Amino acid sequence: MPTSFTVVPVEAQGEERQRDGQQREEEDEGDERDRGTGDGIARESSPFINCAELGRGSMYEGKNMALFEEEMDSNPMVSSLLNKLANYTNLTQGVVEHEADEDSKRKEVKGPRMGTFIGVYLPCLQNILGVILFLRLTWIVGTAGVLESFIIVFMCCACTMLTAISMSAIATNGVVPAGGSYYMISRSLGPEFGGAVGLCFYLGTTFAGAMYILGTIEILLTYISPSAAIFKVADAGEETEAMLNNMRVYGTCIVILMAIVVFVGVKYVNKLALVFLACVILSIIAIYAGVIKTAFDPPDFPICLLGNRTLSKRSFDVCAKFTESNNETKTTPLWLLFCDSSLLNATCDDYFSLNNVTEIQGIPGIMSGVLTDNLWSAYSEKGSIVEKKDQPSVAGSEESKMSGLPYVFTDIMTYFTMLVGIYFPSVTGIMAGSNRSGDLKDAQKSIPTGTILAISTTSFIYLSCIVLFGACIEGVILRDKFGEAVNGNLVVGTLAWPSPWVIVIGSFFSTCGAGLQSLTGAPRLLQAIARDGIVPFIQIFGHGKANGEPTWALLLTVGICEIGILIASLDSVAPILSMFFLMCYMFVNLACAVQTLLRTPNWRPRFKYYHWTLSFVGMSLCLALMFICSWYYALIAMLIAGCIYKYIEYRGAEKEWGDGIRGLSLNAARYALLRVEDGPPHTKNWRPQLLVLLNLDNEQLVKHPRLLSFTSQLKAGKGLTIVGSVLQGIYLDKCTETHKAEENVKALMGVEKTKGFCQIVVSPNFRDGISYLIQSAGLGGMKHNTVLMAWPQSWKQAENRFSWKNFVDTVRETTSAQQALLVAKNIDLFPTNQERFTEGNIDVWWIVHDGGMLMLLPFLLRQHKVWRKCKMRIFTVAQMDDNSIQMKKDLQMFLYHLRLNAQVEVVEMFENDISAFTYEKTLMMEQRSQMLKQMQLSKNEREREAQLIHDKNTASRSAPAVEASVAAAVPEKVQMTWTKEKFVAEKHKNKDSNVSGFKDIFNMKPNQSNVRRMHTAVKLNGVVLNKSQHAQLVLLNMPGPPKNRKGDENYMEFLEVLTEGLDRVLLVRGSGREVITIYS
């Protein structure tokens, strides 16, 4: 386990205790002022905490709770809390979020709430059973066969059942406001996933409305009133195109009509829902009744076959080539369709001449054994003729298959995966119960029970219908999508009892009702997403009428629905909405699996019959079905969701919903931190992990923003960056300033694109705060190894007399911690991220070996656009005894092995006499230091004497009896009673000592060690100026501070002289380990 220790100076602790005492006194005096914030800790925003609605006067009644008076200001009494919890209601669909909307008006609780049967079971039945059952299920059974159809239905029903189990767990994990699946996914997986999947679910619901409307028109124009078609069939073979155009015209009219109904009176749509549901249930009962009737009295629906080919009865009524009447043979209308005249010797179609016309029963009944013929699939190409497999026939010429003849043709190519895409919408609608959670009496009990019962019921209906259809209906009728072989009747209607019209009328009203429900629900879903504010460009759709009806969202829904209607084919629209629903279900399963695996404390569903493996299987099945239905539609749907996800991540409002993805990230981060060794990485993996030390002004703004610009240029988003700063004081006093400083630093980090963490430390003094950061910043193996700071420009000024001391101590701290140090001098002259150097050099002055830091830093900088066009030059210094030519060759070879491109130059700097300038500069430096010490000493003495006098006076007032003993403890030089003689003597004494001290300063000689160091600084500065004065950046080895602390101020002077005259300088001090290697 990673551990972290921080060394705290004892003096600082003492000062803290003293200030804590003072702080307590101030708190007692300002109790009324601070009473509003309690203990000063920011409280979590909650519907039940910080509630202004609770009367404060009632809190203090009685004395038995006086101990908790401080807490009662911000936290309610339990009695009040329980009252609020008992009266807590779900919010209306489309609110921003239930936490933020707590202070607004609550929706009044309506009288009777709905139970499981009315509120969940019946709505789910109505949404699941629909258009596909009546219009396409018989065709799917005939095309795929009973066995493969059973597999299709079982896969889809298993997918929805597993999703319902996951949804039940999420829905029973606390109060779910109206908003259904979107609310559950967004609060479980975060705003990015929630917004992406919520919009996909909205698109799926909208396209479902288009599918139901297309189904309504198909029933109307094909089975109820074919004469109502606007576009008539002029030539043979144009039936499909005419039908699509009729769909588009009628669909547009109906969607406009439905939109007006939804806009004017949603309450009427809800009231008619039960009527539509009754139509569905009566239709299904009629199907089962018809199946039972076929066992003893099959209905009479004859089918006409030519050879083994099915004939469409729309153009003739007698299934024969000719008839006998009064011993006279007459040709039938069927003869005229295949021959050029009504004469018996007319020229006829080859296939018509070679094969007989036969008539068989379309519905032989459940006892006929037709099930064995319908077990296997009969997939076909587009435009092929529906044929009976075991019927004898004689093959004719190819011309006999022309489309102008009255055969029953297939309108699309069929295959297994395509049928899955068409069928899946028939099992959607499992969210109907959760979408109504705001109207349920006990949502946590009703949603799981009602949804799972509804799925079980509908799964039984679908699976039984597949077997019964295959056992009762002839295969060629099952494959006849539009019932052309049975006089244009609805195929499933031919099976129903007492009349086919029961199914036709019932399916018509059920599809109308489903379309209205989709146009009612989809705008509210979009309104809920828009009001959450996570997708900025759709926020306009959160507005509506005064009563909350989503007007703008309804307009957009109608527009998108019109796109589906213009496609005009139910078989083409169904796979589109399958993708969106499958994606929604997949993320519901993912949300449940993530929450279960994370085991977050708040994950406590009342529904206990779930497991993460079931959710994972459901998620995998949803993903598999997406690609089974249509791989290109699946990719498009995932691309749309991915784009929405990235958009919300980039531009959307940040929300903290306690979602599972954040918990997953925290778990992954913890796992990775435990895996990372708590020690130095291998040289090949070493990169500067920066701790950036910033200075803040009185307004808590960053003094040198360019330091963060340089950080982002150096890091380019890679590795660890910790941006730290120190506020001087006590944390309880500086809490507000700390938050403000953190916000300012994070804002600047965002502007400068510095990816990292911010850490603000409050310390009694600046020096200790820097020490805390260097010691404790980071976590485990993710700790910084390099400190970046700005050069203290004002270190010579009297008001900043401690800045150089703090700087030198920081240098020593980093050396002790074995961390590298980067000091940027003239940081305000460094480039911003928007600047680009088109030419220039980055000059490296390699004086001493520091582990390769000087080589690595220019390479990293040149990865950024600012420095990319700068060339790297490396200078090294040759002494008197060095072979400069050989040094250059060796350095070039070294850079070659390091794979670095740089110009190399060896500068010769020979020994020579110390100049008078150097001697004079050293002398002035030491005189200045000595003078500052004496001035500081005299000031400290004056402060000490004043403090002693203050202490003495305080003691005299508090304890007069001990005045003699206290006076004995005071040093002799402190005079409690001043006479004129004593005052003059003390004045002359101080004057004489100051004069003698200044005489010593002007008579002193410089230290020889300091002279040599100044000589090196002056000489090296001259060489650097000569070569690199116009370089864009100069990197220099930073000499270490003296071991003797008395020369710290001289050390600052040496560094100042060393870098004098250079615009941008980066002083580099290595960490004492190799950071670059020649090995792979």
Side-chain angles (χ1 to χ4, degrees):
M1 293 291 290
T3 55
S4 180
F5 297 96
T6 304
V7 180
V8 181
V10 177
E11 293 81 7
Q13 290 181 350
E15 291 174 8
E16 273 189 57
R17 294 192 193 99
Q18 183 178 356
R19 291 183 182 178
D20 281 345
Q22 296 173 1
Q23 177 66 21
R24 291 190 193 97
E25 293 177 7
E26 293 172 5
E27 285 177 357
D28 292 338
E29 293 171 3
D31 182 61
E32 293 300 322
R33 181 192 63 211
D34 297 330
R35 184 66 62 92
T37 58
D39 55 4
I41 300 174
R43 299 295 184 188
E44 180 186 0
S45 177
S46 168
F48 309 118
I49 298 176
N50 298 325
C51 226
E53 301 166 9
L54 300 176
R56 291 197 175 194
S58 61
M59 290 184 183
Y60 302 106
E61 293 179 1
K63 304 294 184 182
N64 54 346
M65 289 296 166
L67 181 62
F68 297 94
E69 284 182 359
E70 295 292 334
E71 295 295 322
M72 289 180 191
D73 286 334
S74 55
N75 299 337
M77 289 288 291
V78 172
S79 57
S80 304
L81 175 66
L82 291 177
N83 183 44
K84 290 176 68 65
L85 280 171
N87 295 324
Y88 183 71
T89 61
N90 295 333
L91 301 181
T92 57
Q93 185 172 10
V95 296
V96 178
E97 58 187 271
H98 78 279
E99 299 94 337
D101 202 65
E102 179 66 22
D103 294 331
S104 64
K105 291 183 179 179
R106 290 193 173 280
K107 184 182 177 181
E108 294 183 3
V109 183
K110 295 182 179 179
R113 292 295 190 93
M114 292 185 289
T116 303
F117 186 76
I118 298 294
V120 181
Y121 181 74
L122 292 182
C124 285
L125 277 185
Q126 182 186 3
N127 280 268
I128 295 173
L129 299 172
V131 61
I132 301 296
L133 171 64
F134 301 118
L135 296 184
R136 292 292 182 269
L137 191 59
T138 53
W139 173 70
I140 290 173
V141 173
T143 304
V146 173
L147 293 180
E148 291 187 23
S149 300
F150 198 91
I151 293 173
I152 292 173
V153 174
F154 183 80
M155 278 197 309
C156 296
C157 291
C159 175
T160 54
M161 179 61 79
L162 293 172
T163 304
I165 292 172
S166 299
M167 182 192 71
S168 299
I170 298 174
T172 58
N173 187 51
V175 178
V176 177
S181 57
Y182 162 69
Y183 183 91
M184 289 188 292
I185 295 172
S186 62
R187 269 55 175 183
S188 297
L189 293 179
E192 294 86 3
F193 277 109
V197 181
L199 286 177
C200 286
F201 190 52
Y202 162 74
L203 292 174
T205 307
T206 305
F207 274 104
M211 184 187 73
Y212 292 132
I213 291 171
L214 291 175
T216 303
I217 302 164
E218 184 176 313
I219 294 170
L220 175 67
L221 297 182
T222 307
Y223 307 113
I224 296 178
S225 178
S227 60
I230 297 175
F231 295 89
K232 306 294 183 181
V233 179
D235 299 322
E238 295 183 357
E239 296 90 348
T240 303
E241 188 63 31
M243 186 65 179
L244 294 179
N245 289 329
N246 285 318
M247 290 272 197
R248 294 182 179 107
V249 174
Y250 274 97
T252 303
C253 295
I254 290 180
V255 75
I256 293 173
L257 181 63
M258 285 186 174
I260 294 172
V261 172
V262 171
F263 179 77
V264 173
V266 177
K267 57 183 179 180
Y268 301 112
V269 176
N270 293 329
K271 288 180 179 179
L272 288 174
L274 287 177
V275 177
F276 297 141
L277 177 61
C279 294
V280 176
I281 295 174
L282 288 175
S283 300
I284 293 171
I285 293 173
I287 292 172
Y288 282 107
V291 169
I292 295 172
K293 183 176 178 294
T294 62
F296 52 86
D297 185 18
D300 183 26
F301 280 98
I303 305 169
C304 189
L305 299 178
L306 176 61
N308 65 348
R309 298 176 180 177
T310 310
L311 296 177
S312 172
K313 278 195 172 182
R314 291 181 184 274
S315 305
F316 65 93
D317 52 356
V318 178
C319 183
K321 292 183 180 181
F322 40 79
T323 58
E324 295 286 341
S325 176
N326 297 326
N327 294 325
E328 182 180 357
T329 303
K330 294 182 179 180
T331 57
T332 62
L334 178 62
W335 178 280
L336 291 174
L337 293 173
F338 286 92
C339 302
D340 57 359
S341 71
S342 60
L343 301 176
L344 292 175
N345 59 353
T347 303
C348 296
D349 179 79
D350 191 26
Y351 189 84
F352 181 77
S353 302
L354 295 174
N355 291 276
N356 295 324
V357 176
T358 56
E359 195 171 55
I360 62 172
Q361 276 299 326
I363 302 178
I366 195 170
M367 308 300 291
S368 64
V370 74
L371 178 63
T372 55
D373 298 332
N374 293 330
L375 283 178
W376 312 108
S377 61
Y379 300 118
S380 58
E381 297 289 331
K382 180 181 179 180
S384 60
I385 300 172
V386 176
E387 298 177 343
K388 183 173 172 57
K389 299 175 185 176
D390 55 354
Q391 190 76 9
S393 67
V394 179
S397 62
E398 290 297 323
E399 287 77 8
S400 64
K401 292 188 177 182
M402 296 298 293
S403 59
L405 300 176
Y407 295 122
V408 177
F409 295 97
T410 57
D411 62 335
I412 57 174
M413 185 176 69
T414 54
Y415 45 91
F416 179 81
T417 56
M418 185 268 289
L419 295 180
V420 175
I422 292 177
Y423 172 76
F424 188 81
S426 66
V427 296
T428 60
I430 64 172
M431 301 287 186
S434 63
N435 289 342
R436 298 182 178 215
S437 59
D439 300 322
L440 298 175
K441 187 184 300 181
D442 186 359
Q444 297 193 9
K445 179 181 177 183
S446 298
I447 290 176
T449 307
T451 305
I452 292 175
L453 278 178
I455 293 174
S456 301
T457 305
T458 54
S459 299
F460 172 77
I461 291 172
Y462 281 126
L463 292 171
S464 61
C465 282
I466 285 173
V467 177
L468 295 176
F469 290 163
C472 296
I473 305 175
E474 182 62 50
V476 290
I477 297 294
L478 290 173
R479 293 192 293 278
D480 183 6
K481 184 186 290 187
F482 302 109
E484 295 181 24
V486 284
N487 298 320
N489 282 305
L490 184 62
V491 173
V492 69
T494 61
L495 183 63
W497 180 86
S499 168
W501 285 100
V502 175
I503 299 293
V504 173
I505 300 300
S507 60
F508 177 79
F509 281 112
S510 72
T511 50
C512 281
L516 281 171
Q517 292 287 350
S518 297
L519 288 181
T520 304
R524 281 158 178 74
L525 180 60
L526 181 64
Q527 186 183 47
I529 302 171
R531 288 189 175 180
D532 259 348
I534 57 175
V535 186
F537 70 87
I538 66 167
Q539 287 187 0
I540 186 176
F541 299 109
H543 306 297
K545 293 194 293 185
N547 60 354
E549 291 299 320
T551 308
W552 293 105
L554 178 62
L555 291 176
L556 180 66
T557 302
V558 170
I560 298 174
C561 192
E562 178 65 19
I563 296 174
I565 288 170
L566 292 177
I567 296 174
S569 171
L570 188 148
D571 300 323
S572 300
V573 173
I576 297 175
L577 64 100
S578 295
M579 292 302 113
F580 292 124
F581 278 117
L582 278 167
M583 183 169 291
C584 178
Y585 296 166
M586 180 177 69
F587 280 101
V588 168
N589 285 296
L590 175 62
C592 182
V594 167
Q595 296 278 27
T596 306
L597 289 173
L598 287 178
R599 298 179 182 177
T600 52
N602 193 52
W603 179 246
R604 302 185 300 275
R606 290 191 177 276
F607 180 78
K608 301 299 181 183
Y609 306 102
Y610 70 94
H611 195 268
W612 69 267
T613 53
L614 294 177
S615 301
F616 185 78
V617 171
M619 182 183 68
S620 304
L621 189 56
C622 289
L623 185 63
L625 284 174
M626 286 179 68
F627 283 92
I628 286 174
C629 294
S630 174
W631 64 268
Y632 47 90
Y633 277 168
L635 292 178
I636 293 173
M638 294 173 78
L639 180 64
I640 292 173
C643 291
I644 297 171
Y645 177 94
K646 296 305 291 184
Y647 177 81
I648 296 173
E649 186 179 56
Y650 179 67
R651 292 288 305 275
E654 293 184 5
K655 302 284 183 180
E656 179 51 64
W657 288 331
D659 53 86
I661 293 298
R662 180 172 175 81
L664 192 64
S665 301
L666 290 172
N667 262 22
R670 170 186 168 274
Y671 176 77
L673 280 172
L674 292 175
R675 295 269 300 174
V676 174
E677 293 183 11
D678 190 5
H682 191 275
T683 304
K684 290 187 289 185
N685 297 327
W686 196 96
R687 68 164 56 245
Q689 315 286 8
L690 291 182
L691 169 62
V692 184
L693 299 179
L694 296 179
N695 288 327
L696 305 178
D697 58 17
N698 294 331
E699 299 296 325
Q700 315 306 332
L701 298 175
V702 179
K703 287 184 178 179
H704 304 293
R706 298 288 179 92
L707 198 61
L708 287 180
S709 303
F710 183 70
T711 302
S712 61
Q713 294 160 21
L714 183 62
K715 299 291 293 180
K718 302 295 190 298
L720 174 70
T721 301
I722 302 173
V723 180
S725 187
V726 177
L727 296 182
Q728 196 165 345
I730 303 297
Y731 183 71
L732 290 177
D733 298 339
K734 297 286 185 178
C735 186
T736 305
E737 288 89 337
T738 303
H739 293 310
K740 181 180 178 182
E742 190 169 349
E743 290 175 2
N744 292 339
V745 172
K746 284 183 178 179
L748 185 60
M749 290 173 66
V751 171
E752 299 294 344
K753 298 180 180 179
T754 305
K755 297 180 180 180
F757 307 98
C758 175
Q759 188 167 354
I760 307 296
V761 171
V762 180
S763 174
N765 59 73
F766 190 82
R767 164 71 188 82
D768 291 341
I770 295 293
S771 178
Y772 300 158
L773 281 173
I774 293 174
Q775 292 179 68
S776 61
L779 181 63
M782 287 295 288
K783 294 181 70 70
H784 62 279
N785 55 29
T786 305
V787 177
L788 172 63
M789 60 188 302
W791 173 264
Q793 298 286 355
S794 58
W795 69 274
K796 289 185 178 181
Q797 297 177 9
E799 61 269 18
N800 292 320
R801 60 183 183 275
F802 291 119
S803 63
W804 61 268
K805 184 68 175 173
N806 293 334
F807 176 81
V808 178
D809 285 341
T810 302
V811 176
R812 289 195 175 97
E813 290 265 357
T814 55
T815 304
S816 300
Q818 295 183 338
Q819 296 173 5
L821 177 65
L822 308 179
V823 179
K825 194 163 185 276
N826 300 327
I827 185 62
D828 294 328
L829 299 179
F830 275 59
T832 63
N833 289 327
Q834 288 70 40
E835 295 181 41
R836 301 287 184 270
F837 288 133
T838 56
E839 57 181 1
N841 300 311
I842 300 177
D843 287 355
V844 176
W845 284 85
W846 193 20
I847 312 300
V848 295
H849 182 55
D850 57 353
M853 277 283 287
L854 282 169
M855 308 294 178
L856 188 61
L857 294 175
F859 169 77
L860 295 175
L861 280 175
R862 292 181 69 242
Q863 308 300 309
H864 197 272
K865 295 178 181 179
V866 174
W867 306 91
R868 186 164 294 165
K869 294 187 178 181
C870 293
K871 295 179 180 179
M872 180 177 169
R873 298 193 303 180
I874 296 182
F875 298 89
T876 189
V877 177
Q879 299 297 321
M880 180 72 72
D881 300 331
D882 295 329
N883 184 343
S884 57
I885 297 175
Q886 187 61 39
M887 281 179 64
K888 185 174 182 178
K889 290 181 180 179
D890 294 341
L891 183 54
Q892 288 174 338
M893 182 58 65
F894 180 58
L895 292 176
Y896 175 77
H897 287 308
L898 289 176
R899 290 93 63 201
L900 294 176
N901 296 321
Q903 299 178 15
V904 175
E905 188 169 342
V906 178
V907 178
E908 296 179 347
M909 195 170 73
F910 300 125
E911 292 286 344
N912 54 8
D913 295 335
I914 297 173
S915 64
F917 171 77
T918 301
Y919 190 89
E920 186 68 23
K921 197 169 186 65
T922 308
L923 180 60
M924 289 174 62
M925 176 189 71
E926 293 190 354
Q927 287 176 345
R928 177 179 177 275
S929 300
Q930 191 65 27
M931 189 179 300
L932 287 174
K933 282 181 180 179
Q934 291 197 2
M935 290 173 62
Q936 185 66 29
L937 183 62
S938 60
K939 183 178 180 181
N940 288 343
E941 287 180 352
R942 289 196 300 271
E943 290 176 352
R944 194 180 301 115
E945 290 178 8
Q947 183 65 37
L948 287 171
I949 294 171
H950 174 268
D951 293 344
K952 179 64 179 177
N953 292 337
T954 304
S956 300
R957 287 194 302 270
S958 61
V962 295
E963 183 176 349
S965 61
V966 173
V970 177
E972 292 181 1
K973 64 178 180 178
V974 179
Q975 302 294 331
M976 303 307 297
T977 304
W978 289 88
T979 62
K980 184 176 180 181
E981 292 79 7
K982 288 181 179 180
F983 178 76
V984 174
E986 187 68 22
K987 182 178 179 182
H988 284 289
K989 177 183 175 183
N990 291 336
K991 184 176 180 181
D992 293 341
S993 62
N994 289 338
V995 172
S996 62
F998 284 114
K999 285 182 179 179
D1000 292 339
I1001 290 174
F1002 291 114
N1003 293 330
M1004 68 184 296
K1005 293 183 179 181
N1007 184 284
Q1008 291 301 312
S1009 176
N1010 288 339
V1011 172
R1012 290 197 306 271
R1013 287 177 177 158
M1014 182 63 76
H1015 175 69
T1016 304
V1018 171
K1019 288 287 292 181
L1020 191 55
N1021 176 256
V1023 173
V1024 173
L1025 279 177
N1026 184 38
K1027 297 288 186 179
S1028 304
Q1029 187 170 12
H1030 302 293
Q1032 302 292 6
L1033 179 64
V1034 177
L1035 283 81
L1036 270 169
N1037 279 117
M1038 181 178 180
K1043 295 180 180 179
N1044 185 2
R1045 292 176 177 269
K1046 293 181 179 180
D1048 286 353
E1049 64 273 21
N1050 298 337
Y1051 172 69
M1052 297 294 292
E1053 192 71 43
F1054 295 146
L1055 294 181
E1056 193 75 63
V1057 171
L1058 179 63
T1059 57
E1060 193 174 2
L1062 297 172
D1063 289 338
R1064 304 182 192 92
V1065 183
L1066 186 65
L1067 295 171
V1068 180
R1069 184 163 174 78
S1071 60
R1073 58 159 295 167
E1074 293 292 332
V1075 301
I1076 194 168
T1077 179
I1078 65 174
Y1079 299 105
S1080 61

